[in-house]
Amino acid sequence: MARASRSSSSSNRFRYLHPGYYLKRPKRLALLFIAFVIVTFVVWDRQTLTREYETEIARYYAEIGRLKDELKKYTGEEGRETVRLPVFKEDPVDIQRREKVKEAMLHAWNSYVTYAWGNDELQPQSKNGVNSFGGLGATLVDSLDTLYIMGLHKEFDKAREWVANSLDFNKDYDASVFETTIRVVGGLLSAYDLSGDKLFLEKAKDIGDRLLPAWDTPTGIPYNRINLAHGRPHNHGWTGGDSILADSGTEQLEFIALSQRTGDPKYQEKAEKTISQIQKNFPSDGLLPIYINPHSGQPSSYSTITFGAMGDSFYEYLLKVWVQGNKTEPVKHYREMWETSMQGLLSLVRKTTKSSYEYICEKNGGSLSHKMDELACFVPGMLALGSSGYGPEDAEKFLSLAKELAWTCYNFYQSTPTKLAGENYFFHGGEDMSVGTSWNILRPETVESLVYLWRITGNKTYQDWGWNIFQAFEKNSRIDSGYVGLRDVNTGVKDNMMQSFFLAETLKYLYLLFSPPSVISFDEWVFNTEAHPLKIVSRLDSKQGINELDRKPKPNSPSRVFGRKEGRSSND
């Protein structure tokens, strides 16, 4: 009985495996089919995911293997932790040329150390120093960043020691606000940005404080001269009491940087108030006469408009303050003013009929003067630097103009027997160019533009042009006790002055012309008008408002060779 019961129970358990059981019960058959489909799908999906995962893992392993192979190329051996990054391969010719320029800098510097240490400038032929800027050690301060960039650290340290122990600004001397700013404030700030040595910042703050009272005018347009010990700002008598455009609009880079480095806004506020006032009276073509009344804020209605002496660096700084502020909103109005001025520049450009040299005229009232200063040869570099802020069509137009003007400036050099440029050139109908003022005082503007054009276009022709200019300096201006300018580029007769900007600008730009673009990169640095590089820092502030002022005319004044750099031709 018990055995029969167990047999019946076992039969009941196995009935679920018999197909006939489900054929008699359709609902259970349907449930079984659904369960089968679900289980099949889950198993298939898991297998698919596993295969995809394995495929992905295999791909990653292959990539890891490839990276290991690449690593071997740089390390030279498997398993090393340190990667040797690929080295920028320089042209051996560039290296040789750069070393020649460095040797020229050493010759100029050692001559200054030997014969003019602590003085503003060296007179190489008479082997003595002169204080052209009140005894501020202009050549020494101007040379600090050049020495640092060239890796001349022993010379830099010696100069730093003089700055620490002997540089004194408490002098009863009427200094040019412009020249002192671009050479001394700019030179000290650049040395600080490069070295991080706070001594230079402290000295820059000292001289900056002494210059600030020059901006104490009803409009904020500064006076152009000030006594470093006693203040008493004033203008040159020969300007009829007016301020000079370039001298008044070429302190913004330095004073903005001084505020950024010290955290004190007073320097920036003073310098930018000038631009706010100028912007208020800004003409539709962006071209300003070279004289502005500091009491009314009005530009002269009949003084010269020029991109040469006394006008030049005002336009340069409109662009460079925009670059210095990292092209942010607070400096947008500088770029807008600059673009307006560049449209005005186009109205001054003419071309010779013989060789198609393009040049920049000066404007007197309603008439054009077909004269161009070598000082205006900074314009090709400025246009090249500014071209990137335009749309494609305008960028190409202004870069093309930069190339044409650079060719003209290069021929300022090539057209003379010494292959050195005169101070200015005249253009006459049916002719190309003829030298006007025939001295050469070692100016840098053409070489400066070649640096910008080479870096922006990559065309090595600009390096070759620069090398030719350097060789002409070596042949005509180098003597045993330094470098001198020429009284006449036609005869080669020498003067007796080694301008401080020869070390600050001309040799620095030549050195950079044969250096990789990463050396003082345009992405990180902006050059002041004395070639002192300042770190680019984004601006977070907003521009100042503009106050209304009345317009007043000014009298004519004598022609002077002032502006971007007050170079002197010595007859001693």
Side-chain angles (χ1 to χ4, degrees), residues 349-359 404 427 431:
V349 175
R350 296 292 184 272
K351 182 184 290 189
T352 64
T353 55
K354 187 176 180 181
S355 298
S356 296
Y357 291 131
E358 295 196 29
Y359 59 96
E404 291 297 327
F427 299 84
E431 300 178 13

Side-chain angles (χ1 to χ4, degrees), residues 114-154:
T114 301
Y115 303 112
W117 181 248
N119 288 276
D120 285 329
E121 291 177 309
L122 166 66
Q123 291 184 314
Q125 299 219 62
S126 54
K127 297 182 180 179
N128 65 281
V130 291
N131 285 323
S132 318
F133 301 99
L136 305 181
T139 293
L140 188 149
V141 176
D142 247 352
S143 299
L144 286 167
D145 51 9
T146 306
L147 295 171
Y148 194 93
I149 290 167
M150 291 186 180
L152 299 172
H153 298 303
K154 181 180 71 174

Side-chain angles (χ1 to χ4, degrees), residues 405-560:
L405 291 173
W407 172 241
T408 300
C409 289
Y410 176 60
N411 279 280
F412 284 176
Y413 286 79
Q414 293 300 296
S415 64
T416 72
T418 58
K419 306 301 181 185
L420 290 176
E423 183 73 0
N424 51 55
Y425 285 77
F426 289 90
F427 299 84
H428 306 285
E431 300 178 13
D432 281 333
M433 63 179 72
S434 61
V435 65
T437 304
S438 60
W439 70 58
N440 178 289
I441 55 173
L442 310 172
R443 289 201 186 275
E445 286 74 23
T446 297
V447 174
E448 171 186 351
S449 284
L450 297 180
V451 174
Y452 282 97
L453 282 164
W454 170 67
R455 286 195 176 188
I456 289 168
T457 69
N459 189 340
K460 293 180 73 67
T461 296
Y462 299 116
Q463 291 180 303
D464 294 335
W465 292 359
W467 180 246
N468 292 339
I469 292 171
F470 173 70
Q471 288 182 304
F473 280 128
E474 288 291 286
K475 180 179 179 180
N476 297 282
S477 294
R478 180 168 177 152
I479 62 175
D480 290 342
S481 50
Y483 287 83
V484 295
L486 301 184
R487 299 184 195 277
D488 190 332
V489 294
N490 296 307
T491 65
V493 175
K494 294 174 173 57
D495 71 13
N496 188 26
M497 183 67 74
M498 187 171 76
Q499 306 280 347
S500 81
F501 56 66
F502 181 66
L503 293 81
E505 300 186 73
T506 309
L507 292 177
K508 182 187 290 140
Y509 280 130
L510 282 165
Y511 184 83
L512 293 175
L513 184 61
F514 305 118
S515 300
S518 58
V519 179
I520 314 298
S521 167
F522 289 164
D523 294 328
E524 299 176 7
W525 300 86
V526 61
F527 288 83
N528 86 336
T529 198
E530 190 78 2
H532 296 308
L534 301 171
K535 270 285 189 181
I536 292 173
V537 179
S538 293
R539 290 274 297 274
L540 302 176
D541 56 328
S542 60
K543 66 177 181 176
Q544 298 175 353
I546 302 170
N547 298 319
E548 292 290 326
L549 290 169
D550 296 327
R551 183 177 295 272
K552 243 189 206 179
K554 78 155 286 303
N556 277 322
S557 64
S559 175
R560 292 292 296 266

Side-chain angles (χ1 to χ4, degrees), residues 144 148 153 156-165 185-205 258 261-262 525:
L144 286 167
Y148 194 93
H153 298 303
F156 178 84
D157 290 342
K158 180 180 177 68
R160 191 263 181 207
E161 182 180 357
W162 185 89
V163 170
N165 299 324
V185 180
L188 291 168
L189 285 173
S190 182
Y192 170 70
D193 277 359
L194 288 164
S195 70
D197 190 331
K198 290 188 176 180
L199 165 71
F200 299 118
L201 181 59
E202 292 166 0
K203 290 290 186 179
K205 184 178 183 300
L258 189 54
R261 308 309 185 261
T262 63
W525 300 86

Side-chain angles (χ1 to χ4, degrees), residues 207-356:
I207 187 62
D209 287 337
R210 294 173 186 273
L211 297 175
L212 272 186
W215 278 265
D216 292 339
T217 68
T219 62
I221 302 292
Y223 294 114
N224 298 151
R225 299 193 71 80
I226 191 169
N227 188 284
L228 295 180
H230 307 296
R232 300 196 299 263
H234 59 282
N235 277 333
H236 303 279
W238 51 267
T239 66
D242 280 352
S243 298
I244 299 169
L245 177 63
D247 287 25
S248 303
T250 312
E251 289 88 9
Q252 285 66 38
L253 282 178
E254 296 83 0
F255 277 70
I256 290 170
L258 189 54
S259 280
Q260 290 174 334
R261 308 309 185 261
T262 63
D264 190 336
K266 66 184 179 184
Y267 309 102
Q268 176 176 320
E269 289 170 356
K270 291 283 190 181
E272 293 211 296
K273 186 177 180 182
T274 301
I275 300 302
S276 295
Q277 178 58 52
I278 292 174
Q279 186 183 22
K280 190 253 179 236
N281 296 302
F282 208 55
S284 59
D285 63 1
L287 301 178
L288 284 168
I290 57 176
Y291 297 116
I292 303 177
N293 190 300
H295 300 285
S296 70
Q298 297 292 337
S300 166
S301 60
Y302 50 90
S303 60
T304 302
I305 290 172
T306 179
F307 279 81
M310 297 190 283
D312 46 12
S313 50
F314 164 73
Y315 303 102
E316 175 190 4
Y317 271 35
L318 289 180
L319 174 66
K320 288 186 173 179
V321 173
W322 177 70
V323 174
Q324 179 191 37
N326 207 22
K327 307 173 184 178
T328 50
E329 185 64 26
V331 290
K332 182 181 178 182
H333 60 296
Y334 284 94
R335 172 77 194 199
E336 291 170 345
M337 293 173 71
W338 181 79
E339 288 191 7
T340 300
S341 297
M342 294 309 98
Q343 290 301 318
L345 169 70
L346 295 177
S347 71
L348 303 179
V349 175
R350 296 292 184 272
K351 182 184 290 189
T352 64
T353 55
K354 187 176 180 181
S355 298
S356 296

Side-chain angles (χ1 to χ4, degrees), residues 22-35:
Y22 295 101
L23 292 174
K24 296 177 181 179
R25 298 169 177 82
K27 290 183 179 179
R28 294 192 179 186
L29 178 63
L31 289 173
L32 181 64
F33 177 75
I34 292 171

